Amino acid sequence: MENHEEAPSPAGGPWGRWLKGRRIRDRRVLIVSVAACAVLGGVLTLLPREGEAPQAPAPAARARAAVAAGAPAALPDLAVLIGERETRVRADPGDAGSWTVLGAAYVEQGRRTADPAYYPKAERALRRSLEVRGERDAGTLGALAALANARRDFRAALTWARAAQQAAPGRWTTYPPLIDAYTGLGDLKAARGALGGLMKLRSGPGVLARAAGVYRDGGRREDAAAALSDAAAGARAPAERAAYLEEAGQLAWERGEPRVALRYFRAAVRLDPDQSAAQAGQGRVLAALGRTTEALSAYRAALADQPCPQYALELGELYESLGLGRPARERYDLLRARVRAAAAAGVDEDLVLGRFEADHGDARSAVRRLRAEWARQPGVAVADALGWALHRAGEHREALRFATLATDGERGGGLRSALYAFHRGMIERALERYGPARRHLREALRINPYFSPVHARAARVALAELGEPSLGDVPVMDVPTTDGKGVTTGCPSCPAPVRSPRTGP
């Protein structure tokens, strides 16, 4: 009988232990391989396929990113974000973060639609966030500052913005509402300082747009135009880019370049059909170009989407310049109604109402309203409006003091505004200061010959009545000097070259 050696059992001995260890290692390799494949598969599903564009963020995510950065958001995206956050806070009233996002979205929705009813809702949401947190959160405080700016309550905005900075000194988002508050209060030096702080912490389209506003208010229009051009080029979201193009159009309009402004406004509306400010801008420009029917249509479209009191005033004045009294009165009635609705929601529209009353209503009432506004927030726009109201009420000497504040760069009024220069010129004319009056009226028409369908015509009539300057109109320090051919070589305040009469044989 053959003697066979018994094979070693897999369950025991050295061979068994080796097989057992091999199986364990094989299982580990298999697990790692499967996991790696799963991870790789997940990464590949996130990457766009060849020829396929990357997936865009969801509407709520786009709106939240814009609101968090203080950038303009698209209205459809805002509606989605608001609906989403309203659902969240109903399900979890203790979600402080959602209350803050919801409040900030309400502020942006109110600003974009000119519907003041959103502002009380925003205030309730933001205060609820502070209550839930039980502490001072910089994001919520900054949103409260933005709300106060939207309501034109610049002192409250300054208080909230400073509180946000104290809560988070290095947070860049606290600076934009601070800049707006300082600007509204007429403290342009502080606004420039806040802009410097912002630019140390942040760059990008939003910061460039903020810088453009500060540059414009300081009279640096070329710098403002360059900053807005870069902001529009760098903006990714259509609504944000449209907002910067609208601002560029407004700047071009203020420079007296209506055709350039029209291109900007049209580009903004193409990108964002809800860009009502650009619609109103088109109305302004088309009226200046004599395309009245198109101008009326553009203004009506802007008012339908965003019933802003300022647009109602502009459209009413356009109708009035055309001799159409009834539609003008209808727009003025709309202005009054919108101001009342705004006041009920805590929005201060006394500036636009004062401007309206000074030209089309009770000038004395305008003076009372604007004096109170000046006491609350003495900005450059309020100085101009109060000066004009005082002039319309017959108080010319006091009027000139405020008009000078609005137009004198050394005293804070660095903005080159045709309307402000016109107001000052007309006040000086009433005081029989004919030389300065002539210079400022010419300056108004030089800045923007189309600045108002009513006042631009009045400026031309006044200049014609003033006639050519006499020697008595020229201050001693500005007496022109002449060369050998009788041509003026130096006259700092003369509006145009003057040919002096030749003397001698």
Side-chain angles (χ1 to χ4, degrees), residues 14 29 33 63 73 100 110 148 157 159 163 171 213 221 251 266 287 308 346-347 352 375-376 379 408 412 438 458 487:
V29 170
S33 300
T100 296
T159 299
R171 185 177 178 130
R221 295 191 304 187
L251 190 62
R266 284 181 167 168
C308 174
V347 181
V352 68
R376 286 193 299 271
D408 189 340
R438 189 181 290 105
V487 177

Side-chain angles (χ1 to χ4, degrees), residues 26-42:
D26 288 348
R27 281 198 299 270
R28 287 174 179 169
V29 170
L30 179 61
I31 291 169
V32 171
S33 300
V34 171
C37 290
V39 170
L40 179 61

Side-chain angles (χ1 to χ4, degrees), residues 175-455:
Y175 281 89
L178 188 65
I179 294 169
D180 291 344
Y182 281 133
T183 301
L185 293 170
D187 193 345
L188 302 185
K189 181 178 180 180
R192 289 193 293 269
L195 174 64
L198 172 62
M199 295 178 81
K200 289 178 182 177
L201 297 172
R202 183 80 172 180
S203 61
V207 175
L208 287 167
R210 291 285 174 182
V214 175
Y215 297 155
R216 168 190 172 271
D217 292 338
R220 297 166 56 187
R221 295 191 304 187
E222 289 74 16
D223 291 337
L228 283 173
S229 176
D230 290 344
R236 295 183 179 180
E240 183 182 7
R241 185 161 189 255
Y244 302 152
L245 289 171
E246 186 278 326
E247 292 180 37
Q250 178 61 21
L251 190 62
W253 164 253
E254 291 172 358
R255 292 162 61 105
E257 300 170 351
R259 288 178 174 79
V260 175
L262 186 59
R263 289 199 294 272
Y264 280 123
F265 290 141
R266 284 181 167 168
V269 173
R270 281 196 299 270
L271 281 169
D272 181 7
D274 296 315
Q275 179 48 255
S276 300
Q279 287 278 18
Q282 288 187 79
R284 221 171 285 133
V285 171
L286 290 165
L289 296 174
R291 296 160 62 176
T292 308
T293 302
E294 294 174 80
L296 294 173
S297 297
Y299 266 125
R300 285 193 289 261
L303 269 174
D305 292 338
Q306 190 182 40
C308 174
Q310 180 63 34
Y311 303 162
L313 176 58
E314 291 180 21
L315 180 54
E317 288 184 338
L318 178 56
Y319 276 125
E320 190 172 323
S321 72
L322 298 171
L324 301 173
R326 181 175 177 180
R329 288 190 296 274
E330 289 174 354
R331 269 58 189 189
Y332 296 154
D333 289 342
L334 173 62
L335 181 152
R336 292 188 184 96
R338 297 303 301 173
V339 168
R340 286 194 297 271
V347 181
D348 178 5
E349 290 286 7
D350 279 349
L351 176 58
V352 68
L353 185 58
R355 284 173 172 163
F356 163 73
E357 291 289 352
D359 278 323
H360 310 285
D362 183 349
R364 293 285 176 187
S365 171
V367 168
R368 289 192 296 272
R369 188 178 300 278
L370 291 167
R371 279 196 195 280
E373 185 76 359
W374 176 258
R376 286 193 299 271
Q377 36 205 28
V380 174
V382 180
D384 167 73
L386 178 53
W388 184 243
L390 285 163
H391 163 70
R392 298 284 290 176
E395 304 291 337
H396 308 307
R397 291 193 180 278
E398 188 181 5
L400 183 58
R401 181 168 69 87
F402 287 100
T404 302
L405 286 173
T407 53
D408 189 340
E410 294 183 0
R411 305 186 189 187
L415 174 65
R416 294 199 66 203
S417 165
L419 181 64
Y420 295 2
F422 164 75
H423 285 164
R424 182 171 177 176
M426 295 297 281
I427 293 167
E428 288 166 335
R429 176 173 175 260
L431 290 169
E432 298 183 358
R433 301 184 179 189
Y434 298 129
R438 189 181 290 105
R439 287 194 297 274
H440 285 113
L441 291 172
R442 284 182 173 174
E443 181 185 358
L445 294 173
R446 188 164 54 246
I447 292 171
N448 183 1
Y450 323 96
F451 69 93
S452 163
V454 176
H455 295 315

Side-chain angles (χ1 to χ4, degrees), residues 8-23:
S9 168
W15 178 249
R17 287 193 297 274
W18 182 85
L19 283 176
K20 183 177 181 182
R22 177 65 182 269
R23 289 192 193 102

